[in-house]
Amino acid sequence: MMKASVAASLPTTVKPGVVTGQALFDLLEHAKANNYAIPSVNVVSNSAINACLEAAKINKSPIIIQFSRGGGQFIAGKAADNTNDAASIAGSVAGALHVRTVAALYGVPVILHTDHCMKSWLKWFDGLLDANEAYFKQHGEPLFSSHMLDLSEEPLEENIAICKKYLERMAKSNLLLEVELGVTGGEEDGVDNTEIDNSLLYTQPSEVYEVYKALGSVPKGMFTIAAAFGNVHGVYSPGNVKLTPEILHNSQAYIKEHAKTESDKPVFFVFHGGSGSSREDIRYAIEAGVIKMNIDTDTQWSYWEGIRSYEAEFHPYLQGQIGNPEGAIKVNKKYYDPRMPMRRAEEVTAKRLGEAMEDLNSINTVP
């Protein structure tokens, strides 16, 4: 459990609600300096958003709420016109506005993020940047805190060049860019790397350094790196995937040596595909500068488990609008009210996220 002194040392720039710009950077530095990482949860509804915020409030932890392209489309509605990713953009923006409206009520710092965006999905990314820039003009800060570009399928040089171009644009609105090196295996929300060459699951320190040099040259540029070290999206049995967090430690040492940095951990690293990872591997990765770990598969299951358990408990009351074990004319409205199973799903998901926060050492990092 994190000591109270860590929460007391939270930077003064970091306030309850959505954090961006300098406050975001300060929060990530605080995480790196105090050896904890922030859970980053994919959401597809306001209910899932609220479960994340509830977990953060209960456990006094920062939280990252992130939207995928498919998740944004789902929030807008599957019948909405998605020509040129219009629904994916609109749904992501709508979800972000919901977070901004309620986040401060939970008393914790919240990072608003979007997940994997491959080269063929750049219309979605461009639309999000347009929304950020419009929000920035009105409010002096971006709508989101950060966005991810996943160009890991492209040659390294092209990956770096496109990311640098986008970071130059994003820096003007105080947005942080997450980039991916190597490939996270498995499948997640339209990104399928189940048949990928295993050698691509492991990033080399020299590749991380090339990204660090290029993006570090962007004025006011903020970035994180999702470097592959054997990560796989989805559920897998222990022993089926070989995680090598040593890659992250070696990359930090390589950059410190070649860039002559004062910090022993000059890079903010991101951990993708963490489902099923041991606490030992997670904590060792955090020691190497991991400040964010993505969570999707486990919270998908927890949300479903909440609904499943509710139905199992109240099954006899859910077979018709009228009639249950208490009587043939008894009304069941209070049982089939959608808020009831959804609330159970939120509770189970918040509990599961509390377990993740324990693994990530982020509990009690917020006053």
Side-chain angles (χ1 to χ4, degrees), residues 11-29:
T12 57
T13 54
V14 180
K15 309 292 185 183
V18 175
V19 294
T20 64
Q22 188 62 49
L24 170 61
F25 184 84
D26 291 346
L27 177 58
L28 299 185
E29 282 285 5

Side-chain angles (χ1 to χ4, degrees), residues 158-238:
E158 183 177 2
N159 184 348
I160 293 174
I162 295 175
C163 286
K164 182 178 179 182
K165 179 181 178 181
Y166 272 104
L167 183 57
E168 289 169 346
R169 177 182 176 183
M170 294 169 69
K172 297 174 183 177
S173 300
N174 294 334
L175 284 162
L176 180 145
L177 174 65
E178 177 183 327
V179 303
E180 178 149 349
L181 289 178
V183 174
T184 302
E187 189 275 335
E188 181 183 51
D189 209 350
V191 181
D192 189 350
N193 292 323
T194 51
E195 303 298 327
I196 204 72
D197 181 349
N198 276 359
S199 65
L200 298 178
L201 300 178
Y202 301 94
T203 304
Q204 298 303 309
S206 59
E207 296 172 327
V208 180
Y209 177 52
E210 290 304 315
V211 173
Y212 179 85
K213 283 195 303 181
L215 301 189
S217 69
V218 176
K220 298 183 179 180
M222 299 182 294
F223 61 94
T224 60
I225 299 177
F229 56 101
N231 328 48
V232 175
H233 288 135
V235 181
Y236 52 88
S237 301

Side-chain angles (χ1 to χ4, degrees), residues 304-318 332-345 348:
W304 159 246
E305 173 63 16
I307 293 173
R308 188 206 62 77
S309 68
Y310 179 85
E311 194 283 332
E313 181 177 351
F314 296 106
H315 181 81
Y317 298 83
L318 298 169
N332 296 319
K333 186 177 187 303
K334 68 179 181 180
Y335 296 100
Y336 64 77
D337 182 332
R339 290 173 292 185
M340 301 302 288
M342 289 172 69
R343 177 58 190 149
R344 178 71 64 84
V348 175

Side-chain angles (χ1 to χ4, degrees), residues 106-337:
Y106 290 81
V108 295
V110 179
I111 297 171
L112 268 174
H113 183 68
T114 58
D115 205 7
H116 296 268
C117 179
M118 61 182 68
K119 188 177 180 181
S120 59
W121 294 353
L122 286 176
K123 286 184 179 179
W124 175 54
F125 200 88
D126 291 335
L128 294 173
L129 294 191
D130 290 342
N132 278 296
E133 289 163 353
Y135 194 92
F136 187 89
K137 287 181 180 179
Q138 184 175 357
H139 300 280
E141 68 172 338
L143 173 60
F144 289 84
S145 310
S146 55
H147 297 287
M148 180 190 183
L149 277 176
D150 179 0
L151 305 178
S152 55
E153 295 182 353
E154 313 306 323
L156 179 63
E157 295 77 11
E158 183 177 2
N159 184 348
I160 293 174
I162 295 175
C163 286
K164 182 178 179 182
K165 179 181 178 181
Y166 272 104
L167 183 57
E168 289 169 346
R169 177 182 176 183
M170 294 169 69
K172 297 174 183 177
S173 300
N174 294 334
L175 284 162
L176 180 145
L177 174 65
E178 177 183 327
V179 303
E180 178 149 349
L181 289 178
V183 174
T184 302
E187 189 275 335
E188 181 183 51
D189 209 350
V191 181
D192 189 350
N193 292 323
T194 51
E195 303 298 327
I196 204 72
D197 181 349
N198 276 359
S199 65
L200 298 178
L201 300 178
Y202 301 94
T203 304
Q204 298 303 309
S206 59
E207 296 172 327
V208 180
Y209 177 52
E210 290 304 315
V211 173
Y212 179 85
K213 283 195 303 181
L215 301 189
S217 69
V218 176
K220 298 183 179 180
M222 299 182 294
F223 61 94
T224 60
I225 299 177
F229 56 101
N231 328 48
V232 175
H233 288 135
V235 181
Y236 52 88
S237 301
N240 283 4
V241 176
K242 175 61 175 175
L243 289 176
T244 56
E246 294 85 359
I247 287 175
L248 306 182
H249 287 268
N250 293 341
S251 295
Q252 296 282 26
Y254 187 96
I255 293 171
K256 177 179 173 62
E257 177 185 355
H258 288 77
K260 310 299 182 185
T261 65
E262 293 184 10
S263 173
D264 291 333
K265 295 187 288 187
V267 177
F268 293 131
F269 279 125
V270 172
F271 187 163
H272 283 232
S275 298
S277 300
S278 69
R279 179 174 291 182
E280 181 182 11
D281 278 342
I282 292 172
R283 294 278 179 89
Y284 189 50
I286 290 172
E287 291 175 9
V290 165
I291 44 75
K292 169 182 182 278
M293 188 175 87
N294 284 17
I295 302 171
D296 185 21
T297 302
D298 289 345
T299 47
Q300 286 180 343
W301 175 258
S302 66
Y303 200 91
W304 159 246
E305 173 63 16
I307 293 173
R308 188 206 62 77
S309 68
Y310 179 85
E311 194 283 332
E313 181 177 351
F314 296 106
H315 181 81
Y317 298 83
L318 298 169
Q319 302 312 301
Q321 289 182 294
I322 298 175
N324 61 47
E326 297 176 23
I329 61 171
K330 290 289 185 179
V331 177
N332 296 319
K333 186 177 187 303
K334 68 179 181 180
Y335 296 100
Y336 64 77
D337 182 332

Side-chain angles (χ1 to χ4, degrees), residues 54-74:
E54 180 175 348
K57 178 179 180 178
I58 291 170
N59 294 284
K60 296 183 178 181
S61 168
I63 188 80
I64 301 172
I65 294 174
Q66 66 183 21
F67 304 88
S68 67
R69 177 172 173 257
Q73 183 187 9
F74 189 85

Side-chain angles (χ1 to χ4, degrees), residues 64-99:
I64 301 172
I65 294 174
Q66 66 183 21
F67 304 88
S68 67
R69 177 172 173 257
Q73 183 187 9
F74 189 85
I75 290 172
K78 295 293 283 187
D81 181 6
N82 199 32
T83 303
N84 294 323
D85 281 338
S88 294
I89 295 165
S92 300
V93 168
L97 289 171
H98 171 76
V99 175

